[in-house]
Amino acid sequence: MKPRITQFCRQPTSSCLFARPSLLRPICIPQQPLLTLRTFSSTPTALNWLAPKRGHKTKSRKGRPRVPTGGSTRGTTVVWGDYGLRMRDHDRRVSAKAFQIGAETIKKRLRGLKYKLFTRVCANIGVYTSGNEVRMGKGKGSFDYWASRVAVSKIIFELKGELHEQIVRDAFRLAAAKMPGLYEFVRKGDPPVMGITKVEEGVTLEEMKRPRMVLPLEASAARLPATTPP
């Protein structure tokens, strides 16, 4: 039995292209080493803030935005940038598409300028909807889009760079007009907000955490006679 010899055809000819399959010679292409998708680097990869990192395994509930009942002011001040855009009317659920349109509007207005845009929210809540004319029941429906629960007085965007304040105000105004809700312009160093009340001069955190209504125990204790002489 003769050994099988594999022949190589470097450049196909016209006769080879139109020949019968039985007369074609086998072509062996040397395999090249597979290239890795990402080489080693100490720089972290940029994450997508418009979708969660690991997707969704279970369908998330509708839920409600965070309400700082304990007097927290977290997320109401500018941290990384010089200017910020803060929601001021009430909490709501904002879609990732609205955030994307707002960010693109800011980048379009500041085109050609040196700046850095920071995002303080992440669209990690899945919204599920059913089709039209579908009867009630039988689950939450299929996945529709990603959204985020934005609390009241939450900072959405921050800007840092060699920018004039009026230009930043105009960019935030255009972005706020294309997103649901009412927003306000804030600077770095502005006082924090507890709920919808700004903690400014004359207003302290201790005073805000104190109950405004006199408790029944305190009212009854005030009417009791003192045990020691004044």
Coordinates of all heavy atoms in Angstrom, one line a residue, residues 18 26 28:
F18 N -12.7 25.0 -11.7 CA -13.8 24.4 -12.5 C -13.7 22.9 -12.7 O -14.5 22.3 -13.4 CB -13.9 25.1 -13.9 CG -14.3 26.5 -13.8 CD1 -13.2 27.5 -13.9 CD2 -15.5 27.0 -13.5 CE1 -13.5 28.8 -13.8 CE2 -15.8 28.3 -13.4 CZ -14.8 29.3 -13.6
P26 N -6.3 17.9 -2.5 CA -6.5 18.4 -1.1 C -5.5 19.6 -0.8 O -4.4 19.5 -1.2 CB -6.3 17.2 -0.2 CG -5.4 16.3 -1.0 CD -5.7 16.5 -2.4
C28 N -3.9 21.9 2.1 CA -3.6 22.0 3.5 C -3.1 23.4 3.8 O -2.1 23.8 3.3 CB -2.5 20.9 3.9 SG -3.1 19.2 3.6

